[in-house]
Amino acid sequence: MHCKRRSLIAAITLSSGLMAGPLYAETLDIGVMGELASFDTSQVSGGVWESQILMDVYEGLLKQNPEGELMPGMATKWEVSEDGETYTFRLREGAKWSDGEPVTAEDFVFGWQHLLDPASASKYAYLLYPIKNAEAVNAGDKPLDALGAESLDGGKTLKVTLESPTPFFLQLLTHYTAYPVPKHAVEKYGDDWVKMDNIVTNGAFKPVEWISQSRISVEKNPEYYDASDVSLDGVNYFTTEDRNAAISRFRAGELDIIRDYPSSRYQWLKDNLPDATHLSPMLGSYYYVLNAREGRPTADARIREALNLVVRRKVLSEQIMAGSFKDAYSLVPPGTSRYEVQRMDGVDGDYQARLAKAKQLIKEAGYGPDNPLNLQLRYNTSDEHKKIAIALAAMWKPLGVNIQMINAEATVHYQTIQQGDFDIARAGWIADYNDAENFLTLLRSGVGNNYGGYSNPEYDKLLDQAANTLDLDKRQQLLQQAENVALDDYALAPLLYYVTRNLVNPSIAGWQDNAEDDHPSRWVTFTE
């Protein structure tokens, strides 16, 4: 078991004839899977590793405690109108950016407008669509100032008007898309406001160094309103896509936390590092995107159905992933609030019958020995993703499907599949908030994270109806109907449900397993 090492930050000094002890900086070292795309939240690619960094340096109107529960953040209190469509937030007195400038309601209005500005091309802009006119602003059909967010009382009050009552709106405000942007810094530096020499943040930590493809370092923000209760002096986020190597670094004491350790190492870690090995239920789905764009073989629903029919999901979960995932038959995972898990038809049961039907579908689609079906499969680099890709290529081989596998580091992978350059692509989704809508929006027409370009007017209509339904039971029915429309279209290939897998230094306190796998470093302390 490794021991926590600390950084010596000051040499021995002499005072009053006595030799003082060495001073240490309490720095948390985290191994993350990929690199942050930008500190400009409108440009973030969507990786879980990005959320970890951003939640440490920014703070929204609300924040989360170690258990993932909501707490006041930049807003200390709020009121909701009787019709549920207007929220009025009172901004925290004394809240400041890291350069000492006050955080105002105008910074939230500016930040949200920036995210929704069509020029920003943010693929996560849709998360703010519950706000009045947000979708029209994002589409360029209305000006930025038409957004339903107003700064009042000299920036001390933020009034937000919604399109319709939104049960998950407060949860949404902890997501990085709802963070403020320092308007004064953008006005001073323009697009360069995110450079290390210029950036200011309002969270418990502020960025101080970024070594591309290696490390991002942050240090405690002395201007943070609760800085006196932040134990850590800083955090380093090391890009560690080779997670077996990351385990070696953890055992050597070079890393305090590893996010998402390899599933194949679970049993070994449990046997050898039981106090450090964490595994718990999580709101997340691991799936393959099937490109529905015209001209792609997977645009044919018969091909998508055939590919789904022969996937042996229990083999993936129990043999390939060593029990560290659950086999999945839907997009929305178990445990989602006010939702019953749905199920894709025909993808379990007698394998030979499924294989026979799949072969017939492939033949009907015009493929066979004289016209083999060649598909390009993209995945982001990791041993785990590679093993799953190899297993699926083998499962599809009896159909006469030839798979060309292409891997790339995570940021490049997601940028590539967003451009539609693939037939099949690995993707995963961890809930931004505990609501089925957060998963189902991934298949809504025109949404940036709808990598496969799936589009079904009936599906979109059901989501629209759910968004405007006050009755929570009726809303649940509409959301479940929508998922069944997509599952009947074989719009994707659901494969696995996630569990959280983290290695955590046992000498750390303030780090708790939670379903959304969010762990703000602001709460972390070292007990040794």
Side-chain angles (χ1 to χ4, degrees):
M1 188 67 245
H2 81 285
C3 296
K4 170 61 187 167
R5 106 235 83 51
R6 298 178 293 180
S7 303
L8 186 65
I9 61 170
I12 295 172
T13 59
L14 294 175
S15 175
S16 302
L18 297 176
M19 181 174 290
L23 299 177
Y24 293 92
E26 293 280 6
T27 302
L28 184 69
D29 294 321
I30 305 177
V32 294
M33 287 178 55
E35 185 167 65
L36 179 70
S38 173
F39 279 106
D40 178 347
T41 54
S42 73
Q43 302 304 305
V44 170
S45 66
V48 173
W49 55 91
E50 295 178 299
S51 297
Q52 174 68 65
I53 300 170
L54 294 171
M55 74 175 64
D56 283 350
V57 301
Y58 292 111
E59 185 169 295
L61 294 165
L62 281 78
K63 64 185 179 189
Q64 294 171 296
N65 66 13
E67 291 76 26
E69 298 166 342
L70 297 182
M71 298 178 63
M74 287 290 113
T76 52
K77 60 181 179 180
W78 50 89
E79 300 155 6
V80 186
S81 63
E82 288 188 6
D83 62 6
E85 294 185 357
T86 303
Y87 286 68
T88 304
F89 298 92
R90 310 298 176 188
L91 273 289
R92 182 180 294 276
E93 291 285 344
K96 297 179 181 177
W97 293 98
S98 53
D99 62 354
E101 290 293 315
V103 178
T104 69
E106 183 62 26
D107 291 320
F108 282 92
V109 175
F110 179 76
W112 297 357
Q113 289 178 348
H114 172 65
L115 189 97
L116 290 162
D117 188 336
S120 296
S122 171
K123 68 176 184 178
Y124 275 90
Y126 70 89
L127 283 179
L128 296 187
Y129 282 3
I131 302 174
K132 193 171 184 61
N133 294 330
E135 186 169 5
V137 168
N138 191 225
D141 295 334
K142 289 191 176 182
L144 296 179
D145 60 9
L147 183 67
E150 299 176 74
S151 173
L152 306 173
D153 302 331
K156 297 179 180 178
T157 300
L158 177 66
K159 180 181 177 182
V160 183
T161 306
L162 305 183
E163 292 282 0
S164 60
T166 305
F168 52 86
F169 186 62
L170 290 178
Q171 291 188 43
L172 178 62
L173 295 177
T174 65
H175 191 263
Y176 56 75
T177 50
Y179 291 160
V181 168
K183 184 178 180 182
H184 67 285
V186 177
E187 290 176 342
K188 184 175 182 180
Y189 298 111
D191 291 342
D192 288 343
W193 76 273
V194 290
K195 290 187 174 179
M196 287 297 97
D197 290 340
N198 305 329
I199 190 167
V200 296
T201 60
N202 71 323
F205 301 91
K206 61 178 183 179
V208 292
E209 188 175 25
W210 185 338
I211 302 174
S212 181
Q213 297 301 322
S214 177
R215 169 173 56 85
I216 289 175
S217 296
V218 302
E219 65 181 23
K220 182 157 68 172
N221 174 12
E223 298 291 348
Y224 183 59
Y225 62 88
D226 211 13
S228 61
D229 287 333
V230 176
S231 174
L232 297 174
D233 295 297
V235 185
N236 294 317
Y237 312 91
F238 292 92
T239 303
T240 53
E241 291 193 347
D242 184 343
R243 285 177 283 169
N244 283 310
I247 291 174
S248 297
R249 295 181 66 182
F250 181 86
R251 297 179 67 197
E254 296 176 11
L255 297 175
D256 299 300
I257 294 172
I258 296 176
R259 304 299 301 270
D260 205 21
Y261 59 75
S263 60
S264 60
R265 301 295 300 276
Y266 170 61
Q267 193 58 52
W268 187 93
L269 292 168
K270 186 179 177 183
D271 293 341
N272 292 277
L273 301 173
D275 294 337
T277 303
H278 291 240
L279 186 147
S280 65
M282 184 182 191
L283 294 178
S285 285
Y286 185 118
Y287 63 99
Y288 269 10
V289 182
L290 304 177
N291 197 340
R293 293 176 178 83
E294 188 175 352
R296 293 283 178 178
T298 43
D300 189 327
R302 293 170 296 187
I303 300 297
R304 300 197 300 268
E305 181 178 358
L307 294 175
N308 267 290
L309 287 177
V310 297
V311 174
R312 300 165 71 184
R313 291 168 171 81
K314 283 196 176 295
V315 171
L316 294 179
S317 64
E318 296 176 2
Q319 298 181 27
I320 307 298
M321 305 309 289
S324 60
F325 278 83
K326 299 295 183 184
D327 38 306
Y329 304 86
S330 65
L331 176 60
V332 182
T336 303
S337 178
R338 298 191 69 88
Y339 198 82
E340 292 182 9
V341 176
Q342 305 302 296
R343 197 174 183 90
M344 183 176 275
D345 286 338
V347 295
D348 53 1
D350 183 72
Y351 172 72
Q352 292 302 327
R354 287 187 283 139
L355 177 60
K357 183 177 181 181
K359 285 182 174 178
Q360 183 62 34
L361 288 166
I362 295 288
K363 182 179 179 181
E364 290 173 2
Y367 296 95
D370 297 332
N371 183 28
L373 178 54
N374 301 314
L375 298 176
Q376 185 186 76
L377 190 163
R378 288 186 176 273
Y379 65 92
N380 48 311
T381 305
S382 87
D383 292 340
E384 197 168 83
H385 302 329
K386 182 179 181 180
K387 285 196 297 185
I388 291 176
I390 291 172
L392 284 167
M395 291 176 188
W396 289 327
K397 194 67 177 175
L399 300 180
V401 176
N402 300 314
I403 295 294
Q404 177 195 11
M405 286 184 277
I406 302 172
N407 67 294
E409 64 91 13
T411 301
V412 173
H413 169 74
Y414 280 105
Q415 288 173 343
T416 302
I417 68 173
Q418 190 174 25
Q419 295 167 0
D421 184 14
F422 67 98
D423 297 309
I424 304 169
R426 191 212 81 84
W429 189 258
I430 308 300
D432 297 308
Y433 45 86
N434 189 354
D435 192 278
E437 184 267 355
N438 189 231
F439 288 90
L440 297 176
T441 300
L442 297 173
L443 295 174
R444 182 192 279 272
S445 300
V447 164
N449 289 325
N450 181 358
Y451 301 115
Y454 172 73
S455 181
N456 185 321
E458 182 184 2
Y459 182 86
D460 295 342
K461 182 179 178 181
L462 286 165
L463 290 190
D464 288 340
Q465 290 175 344
N468 290 284
T469 300
L470 291 173
D471 185 305
L472 294 180
D473 291 336
K474 178 63 176 174
R475 179 175 181 270
Q476 177 180 341
Q477 292 173 10
L478 290 166
L479 292 174
Q480 292 173 180
Q481 287 176 30
E483 183 172 16
N484 278 308
V485 168
L487 294 178
D488 289 347
D489 282 344
Y490 298 93
L492 75 165
L495 301 175
L496 299 161
Y497 299 127
Y498 277 99
V499 295
T500 68
R501 300 192 308 260
N502 296 293
L503 278 182
V504 183
N505 183 339
S507 67
I508 285 176
W511 197 103
Q512 299 290 326
D513 291 323
N514 60 70
E516 295 179 51
D517 207 20
D518 286 336
H519 307 282
S521 301
R522 175 251 179 279
W523 304 109
V524 171
T525 62
F526 285 102
T527 59
E528 297 177 5

